[in-house]
Amino acid sequence: MALIVHKYGGTSMGSVERIKNVAKRVAKWHKAGHKMVVVPSAMSGETNRLLGLAKEISANPDPRELDAIAATGEQVSVGLLAMALKEAGVDAVSYAGWQVPIKTDSAFTKARISEIDDKRVMADLNAGRVVVITGFQGIDPNGNVTTLGRGGSDTSAVAVAAALKADECLIYTDVDGVYTTDPRVVDEARRLDKVTFEEMLEMASLGSKVLQIRSVEFAGKYQVKTRVLSSLTDPMIALDEEARSGTLITFEEDEQMEKAIISGIAFQRDEAKITVRGVPDRPGIAYQILGPIADANIDVDMIIQNLSVEGKTDFTFTVPRGDYQRAMTLLQSDVQGHIGAAEVIGDPKVSKVSIVGVGMRSHVGIASKAFRTLSEEGINIQLISTSEIKISVLIDEKYMELAVRALHKAFELDQA
Ligand code: ADP
Ligand code: ASP
Ligand code: MG
């Protein structure tokens, strides 16, 4: 008998029929003798609908109220799922984040979990009940409802699994595991039986939305055994077969993994590039440009500063496309004149494509192969950034899918 956490995403919870199937699947695990905690997301489309309503009322909505609204999607899900479990003959109880409580900081719309109280949940589990806990939300020290950022139910599930010292956290989604790249973009994408924690962390941070990055961080920090698998199989398939399916995130590399130089390709479509031109090259310039951007809560990703020519340099960086206008306005109105830069120019239609693999550590020539592949497709590379196990390039948005497909083929990711 084990303590197991299941997480079901929006598509998996997308209709009454699907919720009944989730209940059947969870009931099967419960009847096999496991203590079960289930963390569902809002029904698919619901969080977008709620945030859309908010935007119709206010162009610049108060983040506290946004979270109060967005969190309701998951509250509906837990109530429905607990009811469906009872209909399936299993005693179950639902909790919103604040009832557990799942404590977070006060960074509305991107709060971080600080602590999870396990008492109430453990008491229910010991009494034989299935516990259904809202994904995506928590409560801050002032009693405000918070949310964890888009895709945050993954993080709720892994954090709950860590707090309860669960034996395994199973992330059920609308694909049957982690693939070499998004299977919706590349038909030849191949499912991985295993992926190392480090690779998963890079892939999540570089745009693979199959897992929210913070969930992978939690899995690593607390060594939570985490598996990504399909919720769309027959809910009554044999439990041991189901338990072996999908993709396991491992904390050890084996030989097989090192043989695969590249494990996956991630991409982030909605990037924007900003260049501050003709900046006087003196100490403190990076701080003077990026300080106000950070103060405005805008994430900066790739950064490059050119060598100076006649005491002047160009400074380029990327931000999420949604923050592009705000960043441009800020730089043009407050920063440019202040630091004496010639001009601020930008391109809001760029995308980032990244190749990821622990095998890169022990192989040379990966970068040149990637660059050659892109050049053969006539794709211009605008920025490059690398780490020990990844290479990212910034390119024109219109070539993103072509680049992903070409790299997938060049590194033979379609072949086992
Ligand atoms: P959920 O609602 O279950 O949380 P998400 O839509 O957040 O599901 O994440 C699953 C989606 O992630 C898949 O449908 C797939 O399109 C996308 N995805 C992106 N990269 C990958 C990848 N490398 N492997 C699998 N799925 C990926
Ligand atoms: N419902 C939230 C979202 O759409 C959280 C999640 O699905 O993980 O972002
Ligand atoms: Mg998700």
Side-chain angles (χ1 to χ4, degrees), residues 128-173:
R129 280 187 279 275
V130 171
V131 181
V132 188
I133 302 175
T134 48
F136 185 50
Q137 61 172 265
I139 184 165
D140 83 350
N142 303 316
N144 298 305
V145 170
T146 53
T147 69
L148 310 180
R150 299 307 304 269
S153 299
D154 299 329
T155 302
S156 308
V158 180
V160 163
L164 299 175
K165 303 188 174 57
D167 295 278
E168 192 161 357
C169 181
L170 301 177
I171 309 275
Y172 287 87
T173 183

Side-chain angles (χ1 to χ4, degrees), residues 178-180 190-197 199-200 203 226-227 244-257 260 263:
V178 178
Y179 278 68
T180 48
R190 195 168 43 82
R191 187 180 59 75
L192 302 164
D193 287 333
K194 289 180 190 173
V195 61
T196 69
F197 156 72
E199 286 169 332
M200 197 61 240
M203 279 172 65
T226 304
R227 184 181 286 277
R244 277 184 275 112
S245 68
T247 302
L248 179 68
I249 298 170
T250 62
F251 298 99
E252 282 150 35
E253 291 164 27
D254 58 32
E255 271 176 30
Q256 197 57 33
M257 290 170 156
S263 307

Side-chain angles (χ1 to χ4, degrees), residues 61-83:
D62 178 346
R64 179 188 181 277
E65 306 310 332
L66 266 187
D67 277 2
I69 296 162
T72 62
E74 271 70 13
Q75 291 188 39
V76 172
S77 286
V78 288
L80 290 174
L81 183 54
M83 273 162 63

Side-chain angles (χ1 to χ4, degrees), residues 300-325:
V300 171
D301 181 17
M302 301 166 106
I303 304 172
I304 183 167
Q305 185 184 330
N306 286 346
L307 280 178
S308 73
V309 178
E310 290 166 7
K312 301 263 183 190
T313 182
D314 294 343
F315 192 93
T316 301
F317 59 96
T318 61
V319 296
R321 195 172 298 165
D323 291 325
Y324 173 71
Q325 246 348 305

